Amino acid sequence: MEEQLVTFLLGQEEFAIDIMRVHEIIKIPAITKVPRSSRYIEGVINLRGNVVPVVSLNERFGTQKAGDSHNSRIIVLQIDGKTVGIIVDQVTEVLRLDDSNIEPPPALAGNIDAGFIRGVGKVGNRLVVLLAVDRILEGEKLTNYA
Amino acid sequence: MEYLDSLKDIKQRIKDLPEQALTGERVPGLLAELAVLLHTFDAGLSQDPTTLSELNSFVNKRQSLDAMSRHVLVGLIDKLLTSMHEVVSASPDLQQVDMGEEQAAAALLDTNNGFDSKELLGFFLQEANEQVEKLTDGLLELEKSGPRQDLVNELFRNVHTLKGSSGTMGFMSIVRITHLAEDLLDKLRQGNCAVSSQLIDLLLNVTDRVRSIIANIQDGGTGNLEVADLVSRLENFNDSEPTGTPNAVLDEETYVVYRLSAEEIATLSADVPENRKMFEISVRFVTDALMPSVRAMMIMRRLQDIGQVLRTVPSNEDLHIENKLEFYIVLATDQQEKIIRDKVMQVADVQEVSIWEFCRNTAENPAVKPVAKPIMAAIPAATVPVNDQTGGNGFKNQTIRVPAERLDDLLNLVGEMVIARTRLVVVGDELKHNLPQDHGVAALTETNVYLGRLMNELQESVMAMRMVPVGQVFSRFPRLVRDIARKTGKDIDLVLSGEETELDKTIIEAIGDPLMHIVRNAIDHGVETPEERIASGKTPKGTVRMEAFHEGSHIVLTVSDDGHGINLQRVKEKAVANGLIEPGTEVSEKDLADIIFLPGFSTAEQVTDISGRGVGMDVVKKSLVNIGGLIEIVTAQGKGTSFIIRLPLTLAIIQALLVEVGGEIYAVPLASVLETLRVVNEDIKSVGGQPVIQLRGNTLPLISLQKYFDLPQITSEEDVAYVIVVGFGEKRLGLIVDGLKGQQEIVIKSLGDLLANVSGFSGATIGGDGKVTLILDVGSLISDTLASNGARGVV
């Protein structure tokens, strides 16, 4: 079995998402902050007339945000039937990865909760972290900070 | 599907013909075979009537083929096969139950179009839901009114229709229980059984079960839920005058022998013009006929073209479930017997037609044989006449059914247009500013204004389309009240009024649960038991009243009971015990009553399974607030309690005041804005950490949105602040903002599930610049601010 993945950078680390989950990739439009929401929520954007929440994965995973935001994008995903955007520092490529090149998540994954990781893919000498998309919004309610 | 196979077979044979045989003698035979096969097809089997008719005309004209035409022919057959294959494979159910026959027939007869099994299922679900609703209402009515023949007949018809359409779709579990329910109703109708609460309970159980089966189907299930328990209860149901268990056998004999009695002829001929002859026609289909009931309907339709179909056996409504091979029609026509015969024979699978003409003078009618007694004797004649059937076409009252999503889509589009127009106005204003003299710009502005007017009208009509009578929500309450009353041993009369009052669909959907909760509470905690009522000098029967009416731009819903009212003393004690108010403080009755809306507050001494499940009135309030509603309580000790709910007429597009705070723009629904003030900073005083101002002698609590939302402070040279005074019910609050940006019509968009719990915002809208603007939730701002002050009466 082969998977087709979209890879992207958060800080220095490379991550990947199953391409079937990706709705579209857009440049970052004006984001409206939502006061009193969770810090993971960057705000909401207007995506062709729909109000779509945007999540900052850097906040979520504690990764370092890239200094240069020129290449930043929002990857619009369908999670649990809901449309959600995630902000990434750079979208790198679309690649095919054979199952045999995917290893189970490591027991320790630095800052990132192992629950968010579906596996680690080997692409040549690079390592990409395969994200468990459905888990990104799980666990912690993204609201109620008040 | 054997027809599919035959078609494939013929196609193969045509393909296999050697080139030189194309003009040979085998071809006409093959073509004829194909023609016959096509004839037995009907549009119901294929989704592609065009191809079918193309094929038909292709085949009819030819006696020979050539390479080219063979190619075309095979192509057409392939196309047809694909479309049929889709139909057959799309719904495995269809194969088992011989397709949705009623609909197939309807499609055949009315539009000659194919039908879509998914659409068919949707149709079924809608129809079944309606029947279940009607049944529930009717049963409750029956319990109230006692045995009423017309009502019982109506119920019988509902059950019958339900059984019929379920049978058609192959949902046999529904058929099994509705069949038995039908038997019970039949006993009732014939006076062999009394209207008892047990009977009504049992029949209501049937409707519940059907409802859950439908829900299962709706969720993509097979609908094959277990019904054995209910079946045995239905079969063993014994009333005061036992008449033996109903017979559960579904199918009667396949062959029907049926002739009219003299009296029936007299009745039937009463309305037939003198110059018309009357015929009894008996049709028998071949034993392996495909869908005899569809054939029967086709025959009926054809005969209607030449005369008047007075009666059919099985009756038209039974046709689609009976699937009998024998079919019987009484026809009044001025045509000859031969014409009738030809018409009937045009339909495929007819084996035999017998036609008798008879005199209207029944005494000398030779055709009347005193044979069997009418099979349908159980159904009163009134339900049989063919004229009754036009109702099924759905065009009664000149209304059409439109799926709710389409209305939502339409509303969304209108919303988009409103936004686009807002931008257009912004652009126009800029242009006007830059080119004040330009004629084109002036024309643009003018057009903009006109467009705005049109948009308003469009908006109003779309809104009007979405209005739904409150009765749709109210209708579930008679049942609910009955059940709770029975459970709690109370005797309650539910009085509904204003059911025709209309509200936006979204609001209607949202108020069901809160209302249910209030009504539950009213019965469980409000109304006393009959003994208690008698002891306090009231009638033993309590009343719960639900009303709906217009009040300005709002709709008011009230739920009132004549129970013992809320014990405010106990509310106070509890509030003190929970630390909600400090002991010894004076709290007005009104504020005390409002305490029950605070989270986690319940005065019920015992938790029952009816109310008091931990979901409190705070949830009720929250869900009402979410849709822009307000709720108030009026209670009088010993006399009862009323809940008064005020709801906006519509949700989707509202007028809003745009305000600026900390560099952000927010929208405040204009409906909750009472006034705007310009306040010198030194007038803002602090009372116990709460900023307030004096407004016309009253203390108005304030909230700084900049602090509340943790926004950057924008320093201003001026020593003034703007205060938006908002009201929610009788509560007032001033919002301190940096500036006012004007008033605008906004389209409300949901923030989505992810942000649904963020307090302070009720939604979002998209501004003229394309950026998202958040809409302030005045209700939660007020309750947050005032709740943090406890119930100290700072209102």
Side-chain angles (χ1 to χ4, degrees):
Chain A
M1 262 286 284
E2 211 183 37
E3 285 195 49
Q4 207 173 359
L5 302 165
V6 176
T7 64
F8 55 88
L9 293 177
L10 289 177
Q12 300 301 312
E13 294 171 51
E14 193 164 18
F15 293 83
I17 291 181
D18 178 4
I19 200 163
M20 300 306 288
R21 310 300 296 268
V22 176
H23 213 251
E24 60 187 305
I25 298 172
I26 54 171
K27 287 195 173 178
I28 300 188
I31 297 180
T32 301
K33 295 213 174 306
V34 182
R36 300 167 75 87
S37 63
S38 150
R39 64 193 166 89
Y40 306 127
I41 298 278
E42 192 73 19
V44 287
I45 56 166
N46 165 16
L47 184 66
R48 289 184 300 277
N50 292 314
V51 176
V52 173
V54 176
V55 175
S56 160
L57 286 188
N58 278 321
E59 280 289 351
R60 190 73 170 131
F61 298 157
T63 41
Q64 193 66 48
K65 201 171 173 176
D68 175 22
S69 64
H70 184 71
N71 291 320
S72 294
R73 293 288 182 276
I74 290 177
I75 301 181
V76 181
L77 302 171
Q78 292 288 337
I79 300 179
D80 217 0
K82 299 171 194 97
T83 308
V84 176
I86 55 172
I87 298 191
V88 302
D89 291 325
Q90 187 181 342
V91 174
T92 37
E93 64 176 320
V94 173
L95 54 83
R96 285 174 189 280
L97 201 57
D98 196 82
D99 270 358
S100 60
N101 287 323
I102 298 176
E103 286 174 5
L108 278 173
N111 297 325
I112 305 172
D113 186 331
F116 297 140
I117 301 176
R118 189 157 61 87
V120 175
K122 281 187 290 187
V123 187
N125 55 2
R126 280 152 61 204
L127 286 182
V128 296
V129 179
L130 273 62
L131 286 184
V133 172
D134 297 300
R135 311 291 292 274
I136 296 177
L137 302 183
E138 254 178 33
E140 226 154 326
K141 273 263 175 225
L142 292 172
T143 53
N144 278 342
Y145 251 60
Chain B
M1 242 287 119
E2 55 184 302
Y3 285 84
L4 251 151
D5 291 334
S6 334
L7 186 57
K8 279 184 196 153
D9 178 38
I10 291 188
K11 185 190 90 178
Q12 204 51 46
R13 274 150 66 201
I14 294 173
K15 263 176 106 171
D16 289 344
L17 281 174
E19 191 86 60
Q20 65 272 24
L22 283 178
T23 49
E25 54 185 329
R26 279 163 68 192
V27 173
L30 258 179
L31 288 175
E33 215 176 306
L34 180 57
V36 172
L37 187 59
L38 291 177
H39 189 67
T40 60
F41 285 170
D42 37 52
L45 264 176
S46 113
Q47 284 196 311
D48 195 351
T50 343
T51 314
L52 188 61
S53 73
E54 258 180 71
L55 253 176
N56 259 322
S57 60
F58 188 96
V59 173
N60 285 340
K61 275 183 278 176
R62 268 164 215 276
Q63 290 302 312
S64 64
L65 290 170
D66 54 36
M68 187 65 201
S69 55
R70 169 162 70 175
H71 186 70
V72 172
L73 182 59
V74 169
L76 281 172
I77 296 176
D78 270 337
K79 208 167 154 195
L80 191 66
L81 275 170
T82 324
S83 77
M84 287 170 53
H85 195 69
E86 268 167 27
V87 173
V88 175
S89 58
S91 166
D93 283 342
L94 289 185
Q95 292 174 1
Q96 288 160 16
V97 298
D98 271 347
M99 326 228 345
E101 299 199 348
E102 187 187 19
Q103 281 80 7
L108 248 176
L109 297 171
D110 292 342
T111 59
N112 222 28
N113 271 327
F115 71 97
D116 175 353
S117 60
K118 222 166 153 190
E119 214 166 273
L120 213 154
L121 184 65
F123 183 79
F124 163 75
L125 289 171
Q126 190 172 11
E127 160 107 20
N129 273 321
E130 268 169 31
Q131 294 298 343
V132 171
E133 287 306 313
K134 280 190 200 155
L135 261 174
T136 313
D137 291 350
L139 285 169
L140 294 172
E141 181 71 33
L142 187 68
E143 187 176 38
K144 248 189 220 166
S145 71
R148 245 174 59 200
Q149 203 60 28
D150 57 326
L151 203 54
V152 178
N153 284 341
E154 180 70 34
L155 286 170
F156 188 86
R157 269 196 293 272
N158 293 144
V159 176
H160 194 73
T161 313
L162 192 57
K163 179 177 106 181
S165 52
S166 309
T168 301
M169 299 296 295
F171 299 125
M172 296 319 285
S173 47
I174 303 185
V175 174
R176 280 182 75 195
I177 53 176
T178 47
H179 179 77
L180 292 168
E182 205 178 79
D183 284 349
L184 277 182
L185 283 167
D186 194 40
K187 272 163 87 185
L188 197 59
R189 191 164 59 181
Q190 294 174 353
N192 293 334
C193 170
V195 176
S196 60
S197 343
Q198 287 83 0
L199 177 74
I200 300 287
D201 269 344
L202 187 55
L203 290 173
L204 282 173
N205 280 332
V206 172
T207 64
D208 287 345
R209 194 62 63 89
V210 172
R211 200 176 279 139
S212 51
I213 296 174
I214 293 173
N216 174 274
I217 297 166
Q218 218 146 11
D219 295 341
T222 57
N224 276 329
L225 303 190
E226 188 50 60
V227 290
D229 56 320
L230 197 53
V231 166
S232 77
R233 279 176 62 203
L234 283 162
E235 282 178 346
N236 298 322
F237 182 78
N238 275 320
D239 49 86
S240 44
E241 306 165 51
T243 51
T245 47
N247 186 2
V249 177
L250 264 180
D251 293 315
E252 290 158 63
E253 278 296 302
T254 325
Y255 287 92
V256 180
V257 182
Y258 178 65
R259 301 301 305 275
L260 288 178
S261 72
E263 301 88 90
E264 285 177 280
I265 292 176
T267 330
L268 283 177
S269 47
D271 296 337
V272 177
E274 283 299 323
N275 56 348
R276 291 201 153 176
K277 284 171 285 191
M278 288 176 67
F279 293 95
E280 292 182 64
I281 303 156
S282 159
V283 181
R284 178 178 297 179
F285 298 109
V286 295
T287 35
D288 59 344
L290 180 72
M291 301 188 290
S293 62
V294 177
R295 308 289 178 214
M297 284 185 85
M298 290 172 76
I299 292 174
M300 213 179 73
R301 182 53 81 91
R302 281 188 189 181
L303 292 179
Q304 265 165 354
D305 288 344
I306 58 167
Q308 196 179 351
V309 174
L310 297 173
R311 173 176 293 191
T312 64
V313 175
S315 75
N316 199 24
E317 32 184 297
D318 287 318
L319 211 58
H320 53 275
I321 43 168
E322 309 260 62
N323 248 341
K324 292 197 162 70
L325 291 177
E326 185 108 351
F327 176 65
Y328 181 88
I329 301 171
V330 179
L331 177 77
T333 177
D334 39 28
Q335 303 286 338
Q336 295 303 312
E337 184 193 321
K338 187 181 172 312
I339 312 261
I340 302 174
R341 189 175 295 273
D342 285 350
K343 281 276 177 194
V344 175
M345 292 308 278
Q346 277 169 12
V347 174
D349 287 350
V350 173
Q351 188 180 46
E352 193 188 322
V353 190
S354 322
I355 301 177
W356 300 272
E357 184 181 347
F358 58 83
C359 282
R360 327 165 143 262
N361 185 345
T362 52
E364 20 180 294
N365 187 356
V368 177
K369 299 169 206 158
V371 199
K373 68 172 199 173
I375 298 283
M376 292 293 145
I379 296 179
T383 65
V384 182
V386 181
N387 305 353
D388 259 20
Q389 292 142 12
T390 41
N393 285 342
F395 283 99
K396 251 188 202 165
N397 302 334
Q398 294 288 310
T399 55
I400 48 170
R401 285 182 178 160
V402 179
E405 306 128 53
R406 283 202 207 160
L407 285 186
D408 288 345
D409 289 348
L410 185 59
L411 184 72
N412 282 340
L413 276 178
V414 172
E416 293 306 308
M417 285 176 74
V418 170
I419 293 168
R421 196 193 83 90
T422 314
R423 282 192 213 181
L424 207 54
V425 170
V426 173
V427 173
D429 285 350
E430 267 168 33
L431 278 177
K432 199 167 155 191
H433 182 74
N434 297 340
L435 308 162
Q437 303 299 324
D438 196 288
H439 287 298
V441 174
L444 176 70
T445 312
E446 217 170 274
T447 318
N448 257 341
V449 172
Y450 182 54
L451 182 64
R453 245 191 343 250
L454 290 179
M455 286 298 312
N456 282 342
E457 276 172 38
L458 179 61
Q459 223 180 81
E460 273 165 29
S461 4
V462 175
M463 291 304 190
M465 277 185 224
R466 293 170 50 91
M467 298 304 251
V468 180
V470 172
Q472 280 196 5
V473 180
F474 279 8
S475 66
R476 64 167 114 151
F477 284 94
R479 172 73 196 278
L480 183 87
V481 169
R482 174 190 181 275
D483 286 357
I484 303 175
R486 269 176 74 89
K487 237 186 234 172
T488 52
K490 292 172 182 177
D491 197 3
I492 287 170
D493 205 7
L494 176 70
V495 182
L496 301 175
S497 69
E499 291 109 313
E500 69 292 337
T501 315
E502 290 186 324
L503 268 170
D504 190 274
K505 176 176 141 303
T506 337
I507 300 180
I508 291 279
E509 282 161 7
I511 57 173
D513 289 344
L515 278 181
M516 190 121 74
H517 202 82
I518 295 173
V519 170
R520 275 205 181 109
N521 267 320
I523 300 171
D524 202 18
H525 305 317
V527 181
E528 313 91 329
T529 58
E531 301 79 52
E532 284 169 341
R533 289 182 66 87
I534 293 168
S536 47
K538 294 179 180 177
T539 53
K541 196 168 198 165
T543 305
V544 172
R545 209 175 282 278
M546 297 179 75
E547 276 179 281
F549 53 90
H550 276 266
E551 192 189 82
S553 65
H554 285 83
I555 294 287
V556 181
L557 299 180
T558 63
V559 178
S560 13
D561 64 68
D562 61 351
H564 50 55
I566 296 173
N567 187 337
L568 292 175
Q569 196 48 46
R570 217 163 76 210
V571 171
K572 189 167 179 183
E573 282 159 20
K574 188 122 187 232
V576 171
N578 291 1
L580 291 166
I581 51 176
E582 281 168 35
T585 30
E586 280 298 308
V587 186
S588 73
E589 289 201 348
K590 188 141 188 44
D591 289 342
L592 269 179
D594 280 348
I595 287 179
I596 69 163
F597 290 121
L598 294 178
F601 192 89
S602 170
T603 58
E605 273 152 7
Q606 63 189 70
V607 171
T608 67
D609 69 333
I610 293 158
S611 54
R613 261 181 281 206
V615 185
M617 292 302 288
D618 58 315
V619 179
V620 169
K621 184 171 180 176
K622 181 143 176 61
S623 34
L624 290 172
V625 165
N626 280 348
I627 53 170
L630 312 173
I631 182 164
E632 274 183 78
I633 312 178
V634 178
T635 184
Q637 194 76 46
K639 287 193 180 140
T641 308
S642 296
F643 287 86
I644 300 153
I645 300 167
R646 287 196 170 70
L647 295 164
L649 273 175
T650 177
L651 275 182
I653 301 181
I654 58 165
Q655 289 288 334
L657 181 69
L658 299 181
V659 300
E660 187 173 3
V661 192
E664 302 277 338
I665 307 278
Y666 297 104
V668 189
L670 208 57
S672 22
V673 175
L674 301 172
E675 60 184 311
T676 59
L677 310 168
R678 209 160 162 267
V679 182
V680 183
N681 279 338
E682 63 192 33
D683 283 346
I684 300 179
K685 305 280 191 296
S686 174
V687 176
Q690 169 76 52
V692 296
I693 51 165
Q694 289 294 320
L695 179 63
R696 291 185 287 275
N698 292 319
T699 306
L700 177 74
L702 300 179
I703 176 178
S704 158
L705 289 183
Q706 176 257 323
K707 292 205 180 91
Y708 187 78
F709 290 150
D710 197 18
L711 299 167
Q713 172 123 37
I714 307 282
T715 46
S716 128
E717 289 168 20
E718 287 179 79
D719 193 29
V720 291
Y722 290 90
V723 171
I724 317 290
V725 184
V726 290
F728 191 75
E730 288 177 2
K731 303 200 166 95
R732 304 279 175 269
L733 179 69
L735 311 175
I736 306 174
V737 300
D738 297 342
L740 307 181
K741 305 294 283 183
Q743 180 185 331
Q744 205 177 74
E745 193 155 69
I746 60 167
V747 181
I748 301 182
K749 308 239 173 199
S750 158
L751 274 175
D753 293 354
L754 209 54
L755 295 166
N757 292 332
V758 178
S759 68
F761 303 104
S762 60
T765 187
I766 290 164
D769 57 358
K771 202 182 160 186
V772 178
T773 303
L774 300 174
I775 303 168
L776 297 186
D777 176 3
V778 170
S780 80
L781 286 176
I782 291 183
S783 53
D784 250 32
T785 313
L786 302 184
S788 65
N789 288 313
R792 264 177 288 167
V794 193
V795 183

